[in-house]
PDB file of all heavy atoms in Angstrom:
ATOM      1  N   ASP A 275     103.753  80.974  92.325  1.00  0.00           N
ATOM      2  CA  ASP A 275     102.705  81.923  92.431  1.00  0.00           C
ATOM      3  C   ASP A 275     102.705  82.682  93.770  1.00  0.00           C
ATOM      4  O   ASP A 275     102.449  83.861  93.872  1.00  0.00           O
ATOM      5  CB  ASP A 275     101.319  81.196  92.244  1.00  0.00           C
ATOM      6  CG  ASP A 275     101.076  80.908  90.794  1.00  0.00           C
ATOM      7  OD1 ASP A 275     101.683  81.437  89.865  1.00  0.00           O
ATOM      8  OD2 ASP A 275     100.253  79.902  90.590  1.00  0.00           O
ATOM      9  N   ASP A 276     103.006  81.913  94.825  1.00  0.00           N
ATOM     10  CA  ASP A 276     103.060  82.497  96.147  1.00  0.00           C
ATOM     11  C   ASP A 276     104.165  83.543  96.223  1.00  0.00           C
ATOM     12  O   ASP A 276     103.958  84.693  96.756  1.00  0.00           O
ATOM     13  CB  ASP A 276     103.374  81.494  97.259  1.00  0.00           C
ATOM     14  CG  ASP A 276     102.291  80.515  97.560  1.00  0.00           C
ATOM     15  OD1 ASP A 276     101.114  80.825  97.209  1.00  0.00           O
ATOM     16  OD2 ASP A 276     102.573  79.450  98.211  1.00  0.00           O
ATOM     17  N   LEU A 277     105.345  83.285  95.675  1.00  0.00           N
ATOM     18  CA  LEU A 277     106.388  84.181  95.592  1.00  0.00           C
ATOM     19  C   LEU A 277     106.072  85.455  94.780  1.00  0.00           C
ATOM     20  O   LEU A 277     106.449  86.602  95.187  1.00  0.00           O
ATOM     21  CB  LEU A 277     107.686  83.600  95.063  1.00  0.00           C
ATOM     22  CG  LEU A 277     108.429  82.652  96.006  1.00  0.00           C
ATOM     23  CD1 LEU A 277     109.622  82.041  95.279  1.00  0.00           C
ATOM     24  CD2 LEU A 277     108.950  83.353  97.278  1.00  0.00           C
ATOM     25  N   ASP A 278     105.395  85.253  93.707  1.00  0.00           N
ATOM     26  CA  ASP A 278     104.984  86.423  92.836  1.00  0.00           C
ATOM     27  C   ASP A 278     104.044  87.277  93.596  1.00  0.00           C
ATOM     28  O   ASP A 278     104.225  88.544  93.599  1.00  0.00           O
ATOM     29  CB  ASP A 278     104.347  85.848  91.612  1.00  0.00           C
ATOM     30  CG  ASP A 278     104.065  86.958  90.616  1.00  0.00           C
ATOM     31  OD1 ASP A 278     104.972  87.788  90.307  1.00  0.00           O
ATOM     32  OD2 ASP A 278     102.904  86.991  90.070  1.00  0.00           O
ATOM     33  N   GLU A 279     103.111  86.712  94.363  1.00  0.00           N
ATOM     34  CA  GLU A 279     102.164  87.502  95.189  1.00  0.00           C
ATOM     35  C   GLU A 279     102.930  88.123  96.287  1.00  0.00           C
ATOM     36  O   GLU A 279     102.688  89.386  96.592  1.00  0.00           O
ATOM     37  CB  GLU A 279     101.070  86.577  95.612  1.00  0.00           C
ATOM     38  CG  GLU A 279      99.905  87.355  96.222  1.00  0.00           C
ATOM     39  CD  GLU A 279      98.642  86.506  96.444  1.00  0.00           C
ATOM     40  OE1 GLU A 279      98.663  85.249  96.114  1.00  0.00           O
ATOM     41  OE2 GLU A 279      97.775  86.950  97.107  1.00  0.00           O
ATOM     42  N   LEU A 280     103.793  87.455  96.937  1.00  0.00           N
ATOM     43  CA  LEU A 280     104.543  88.103  98.080  1.00  0.00           C
ATOM     44  C   LEU A 280     105.433  89.174  97.551  1.00  0.00           C
ATOM     45  O   LEU A 280     105.489  90.229  98.232  1.00  0.00           O
ATOM     46  CB  LEU A 280     105.486  86.991  98.707  1.00  0.00           C
ATOM     47  CG  LEU A 280     106.350  87.359  99.897  1.00  0.00           C
ATOM     48  CD1 LEU A 280     105.370  87.887 101.051  1.00  0.00           C
ATOM     49  CD2 LEU A 280     107.183  86.232 100.315  1.00  0.00           C
ATOM     50  N   ALA A 281     106.044  89.104  96.368  1.00  0.00           N
ATOM     51  CA  ALA A 281     106.847  90.167  95.782  1.00  0.00           C
ATOM     52  C   ALA A 281     105.956  91.451  95.643  1.00  0.00           C
ATOM     53  O   ALA A 281     106.347  92.550  95.845  1.00  0.00           O
ATOM     54  CB  ALA A 281     107.432  89.734  94.497  1.00  0.00           C
ATOM     55  N   GLY A 282     104.715  91.203  95.188  1.00  0.00           N
ATOM     56  CA  GLY A 282     103.788  92.357  95.038  1.00  0.00           C
ATOM     57  C   GLY A 282     103.451  93.081  96.384  1.00  0.00           C
ATOM     58  O   GLY A 282     103.445  94.296  96.459  1.00  0.00           O
ATOM     59  N   PHE A 283     103.257  92.214  97.433  1.00  0.00           N
ATOM     60  CA  PHE A 283     102.944  92.840  98.708  1.00  0.00           C
ATOM     61  C   PHE A 283     104.244  93.549  99.271  1.00  0.00           C
ATOM     62  O   PHE A 283     104.058  94.691  99.759  1.00  0.00           O
ATOM     63  CB  PHE A 283     102.679  91.725  99.696  1.00  0.00           C
ATOM     64  CG  PHE A 283     101.306  90.993  99.507  1.00  0.00           C
ATOM     65  CD1 PHE A 283     101.162  89.646  99.802  1.00  0.00           C
ATOM     66  CD2 PHE A 283     100.267  91.673  99.076  1.00  0.00           C
ATOM     67  CE1 PHE A 283      99.941  89.045  99.588  1.00  0.00           C
ATOM     68  CE2 PHE A 283      98.981  91.071  98.858  1.00  0.00           C
ATOM     69  CZ  PHE A 283      98.839  89.745  99.146  1.00  0.00           C
ATOM     70  N   VAL A 284     105.372  93.019  99.044  1.00  0.00           N
ATOM     71  CA  VAL A 284     106.630  93.668  99.592  1.00  0.00           C
ATOM     72  C   VAL A 284     106.856  94.948  98.805  1.00  0.00           C
ATOM     73  O   VAL A 284     107.174  95.960  99.435  1.00  0.00           O
ATOM     74  CB  VAL A 284     107.802  92.680  99.488  1.00  0.00           C
ATOM     75  CG1 VAL A 284     109.118  93.403  99.761  1.00  0.00           C
ATOM     76  CG2 VAL A 284     107.613  91.491 100.392  1.00  0.00           C
ATOM     77  N   ALA A 285     106.688  94.976  97.508  1.00  0.00           N
ATOM     78  CA  ALA A 285     106.852  96.093  96.643  1.00  0.00           C
ATOM     79  C   ALA A 285     105.872  97.197  97.090  1.00  0.00           C
ATOM     80  O   ALA A 285     106.265  98.408  97.224  1.00  0.00           O
ATOM     81  CB  ALA A 285     106.651  95.804  95.232  1.00  0.00           C
ATOM     82  N   ALA A 286     104.636  96.819  97.370  1.00  0.00           N
ATOM     83  CA  ALA A 286     103.647  97.818  97.780  1.00  0.00           C
ATOM     84  C   ALA A 286     104.054  98.445  99.145  1.00  0.00           C
ATOM     85  O   ALA A 286     103.940  99.649  99.300  1.00  0.00           O
ATOM     86  CB  ALA A 286     102.235  97.198  97.853  1.00  0.00           C
ATOM     87  N   GLU A 287     104.501  97.603 100.026  1.00  0.00           N
ATOM     88  CA  GLU A 287     104.880  98.128 101.329  1.00  0.00           C
ATOM     89  C   GLU A 287     106.147  98.984 101.198  1.00  0.00           C
ATOM     90  O   GLU A 287     106.263 100.072 101.860  1.00  0.00           O
ATOM     91  CB  GLU A 287     105.252  97.028 102.308  1.00  0.00           C
ATOM     92  CG  GLU A 287     104.054  96.281 102.812  1.00  0.00           C
ATOM     93  CD  GLU A 287     103.054  97.099 103.607  1.00  0.00           C
ATOM     94  OE1 GLU A 287     103.478  98.011 104.392  1.00  0.00           O
ATOM     95  OE2 GLU A 287     101.900  97.010 103.294  1.00  0.00           O
ATOM     96  N   ALA A 288     107.047  98.695 100.316  1.00  0.00           N
ATOM     97  CA  ALA A 288     108.255  99.493 100.101  1.00  0.00           C
ATOM     98  C   ALA A 288     107.848 100.905  99.537  1.00  0.00           C
ATOM     99  O   ALA A 288     108.354 101.927  99.954  1.00  0.00           O
ATOM    100  CB  ALA A 288     109.222  98.832  99.128  1.00  0.00           C
ATOM    101  N   ASN A 289     106.814 100.920  98.570  1.00  0.00           N
ATOM    102  CA  ASN A 289     106.399 102.118  98.023  1.00  0.00           C
ATOM    103  C   ASN A 289     105.705 103.001  99.002  1.00  0.00           C
ATOM    104  O   ASN A 289     105.719 104.248  98.848  1.00  0.00           O
ATOM    105  CB  ASN A 289     105.425 101.846  96.886  1.00  0.00           C
ATOM    106  CG  ASN A 289     106.107 101.289  95.686  1.00  0.00           C
ATOM    107  OD1 ASN A 289     107.303 101.437  95.468  1.00  0.00           O
ATOM    108  ND2 ASN A 289     105.427 100.568  94.848  1.00  0.00           N
ATOM    109  N   HIS A 290     105.159 102.475 100.074  1.00  0.00           N
ATOM    110  CA  HIS A 290     104.401 103.259 101.042  1.00  0.00           C
ATOM    111  C   HIS A 290     105.256 103.499 102.317  1.00  0.00           C
ATOM    112  O   HIS A 290     104.737 104.224 103.225  1.00  0.00           O
ATOM    113  CB  HIS A 290     103.083 102.596 101.424  1.00  0.00           C
ATOM    114  CG  HIS A 290     102.164 102.608 100.270  1.00  0.00           C
ATOM    115  ND1 HIS A 290     101.993 101.535  99.396  1.00  0.00           N
ATOM    116  CD2 HIS A 290     101.297 103.618  99.842  1.00  0.00           C
ATOM    117  CE1 HIS A 290     101.076 101.892  98.508  1.00  0.00           C
ATOM    118  NE2 HIS A 290     100.682 103.131  98.680  1.00  0.00           N
ATOM    119  N   ALA A 291     106.439 103.020 102.427  1.00  0.00           N
ATOM    120  CA  ALA A 291     107.227 103.152 103.580  1.00  0.00           C
ATOM    121  C   ALA A 291     107.744 104.593 103.705  1.00  0.00           C
ATOM    122  O   ALA A 291     108.268 105.188 102.766  1.00  0.00           O
ATOM    123  CB  ALA A 291     108.487 102.159 103.498  1.00  0.00           C
ATOM    124  N   LYS A 292     107.547 105.159 104.853  1.00  0.00           N
ATOM    125  CA  LYS A 292     108.015 106.544 105.123  1.00  0.00           C
ATOM    126  C   LYS A 292     109.516 106.508 105.605  1.00  0.00           C
ATOM    127  O   LYS A 292     110.248 107.494 105.392  1.00  0.00           O
ATOM    128  CB  LYS A 292     107.203 107.116 106.255  1.00  0.00           C
ATOM    129  CG  LYS A 292     105.676 107.325 105.733  1.00  0.00           C
ATOM    130  CD  LYS A 292     104.933 108.272 106.516  1.00  0.00           C
ATOM    131  CE  LYS A 292     103.498 108.271 106.125  1.00  0.00           C
ATOM    132  NZ  LYS A 292     103.210 108.512 104.786  1.00  0.00           N
ATOM    133  N   ASP A 293     109.952 105.387 106.146  1.00  0.00           N
ATOM    134  CA  ASP A 293     111.346 105.285 106.566  1.00  0.00           C
ATOM    135  C   ASP A 293     112.247 104.797 105.401  1.00  0.00           C
ATOM    136  O   ASP A 293     111.961 103.783 104.853  1.00  0.00           O
ATOM    137  CB  ASP A 293     111.424 104.283 107.722  1.00  0.00           C
ATOM    138  CG  ASP A 293     112.780 104.011 108.329  1.00  0.00           C
ATOM    139  OD1 ASP A 293     113.637 103.612 107.584  1.00  0.00           O
ATOM    140  OD2 ASP A 293     112.953 104.302 109.511  1.00  0.00           O
ATOM    141  N   LYS A 294     113.168 105.630 105.069  1.00  0.00           N
ATOM    142  CA  LYS A 294     114.023 105.320 103.908  1.00  0.00           C
ATOM    143  C   LYS A 294     114.862 104.028 104.135  1.00  0.00           C
ATOM    144  O   LYS A 294     115.059 103.256 103.159  1.00  0.00           O
ATOM    145  CB  LYS A 294     115.003 106.446 103.641  1.00  0.00           C
ATOM    146  CG  LYS A 294     114.379 107.715 103.108  1.00  0.00           C
ATOM    147  CD  LYS A 294     113.611 107.412 101.781  1.00  0.00           C
ATOM    148  CE  LYS A 294     112.947 108.799 101.332  1.00  0.00           C
ATOM    149  NZ  LYS A 294     112.214 108.613 100.152  1.00  0.00           N
ATOM    150  N   LYS A 295     115.274 103.765 105.298  1.00  0.00           N
ATOM    151  CA  LYS A 295     116.020 102.460 105.552  1.00  0.00           C
ATOM    152  C   LYS A 295     115.098 101.321 105.333  1.00  0.00           C
ATOM    153  O   LYS A 295     115.549 100.311 104.694  1.00  0.00           O
ATOM    154  CB  LYS A 295     116.644 102.523 107.001  1.00  0.00           C
ATOM    155  CG  LYS A 295     117.452 101.299 107.352  1.00  0.00           C
ATOM    156  CD  LYS A 295     117.974 101.332 108.631  1.00  0.00           C
ATOM    157  CE  LYS A 295     118.762  99.963 108.927  1.00  0.00           C
ATOM    158  NZ  LYS A 295     119.219  99.950 110.313  1.00  0.00           N
ATOM    159  N   LEU A 296     113.875 101.340 105.917  1.00  0.00           N
ATOM    160  CA  LEU A 296     112.984 100.230 105.662  1.00  0.00           C
ATOM    161  C   LEU A 296     112.634 100.084 104.248  1.00  0.00           C
ATOM    162  O   LEU A 296     112.573  98.996 103.735  1.00  0.00           O
ATOM    163  CB  LEU A 296     111.663 100.479 106.502  1.00  0.00           C
ATOM    164  CG  LEU A 296     110.597  99.489 106.243  1.00  0.00           C
ATOM    165  CD1 LEU A 296     111.064  98.058 106.613  1.00  0.00           C
ATOM    166  CD2 LEU A 296     109.326  99.940 107.105  1.00  0.00           C
ATOM    167  N   GLN A 297     112.449 101.192 103.520  1.00  0.00           N
ATOM    168  CA  GLN A 297     112.134 101.172 102.090  1.00  0.00           C
ATOM    169  C   GLN A 297     113.278 100.463 101.330  1.00  0.00           C
ATOM    170  O   GLN A 297     113.026  99.548 100.469  1.00  0.00           O
ATOM    171  CB  GLN A 297     111.901 102.633 101.503  1.00  0.00           C
ATOM    172  CG  GLN A 297     111.588 102.619 100.059  1.00  0.00           C
ATOM    173  CD  GLN A 297     111.403 104.038  99.539  1.00  0.00           C
ATOM    174  OE1 GLN A 297     111.849 105.009 100.192  1.00  0.00           O
ATOM    175  NE2 GLN A 297     110.667 104.144  98.473  1.00  0.00           N
ATOM    176  N   LYS A 298     114.540 100.759 101.627  1.00  0.00           N
ATOM    177  CA  LYS A 298     115.601 100.113 100.982  1.00  0.00           C
ATOM    178  C   LYS A 298     115.663  98.650 101.266  1.00  0.00           C
ATOM    179  O   LYS A 298     115.897  97.831 100.353  1.00  0.00           O
ATOM    180  CB  LYS A 298     116.912 100.807 101.427  1.00  0.00           C
ATOM    181  CG  LYS A 298     118.173 100.280 100.768  1.00  0.00           C
ATOM    182  CD  LYS A 298     119.432 100.988 101.215  1.00  0.00           C
ATOM    183  CE  LYS A 298     120.623 100.387 100.554  1.00  0.00           C
ATOM    184  NZ  LYS A 298     121.876 100.945 100.990  1.00  0.00           N
TER     185      LYS A 298
END
C-alpha cells in the first residue's frame, strides 16, 4: 500500500515537472 501511494506521488510530480530530465 505504501509503494502504491508512493507511485502515485511520483507520477504526479513527473506530470508537473517542467524539467524534461527530471520528468524522465
Side-chain angles (χ1 to χ4, degrees):
D275 287 337
D276 289 345
L277 284 177
D278 187 48
E279 193 170 352
L280 182 60
F283 291 145
V284 173
E287 289 299 317
N289 288 338
H290 293 95
K292 298 198 185 305
D293 182 298
K294 293 295 181 186
K295 182 179 177 186
L296 175 60
Q297 182 180 19
K298 182 179 178 181

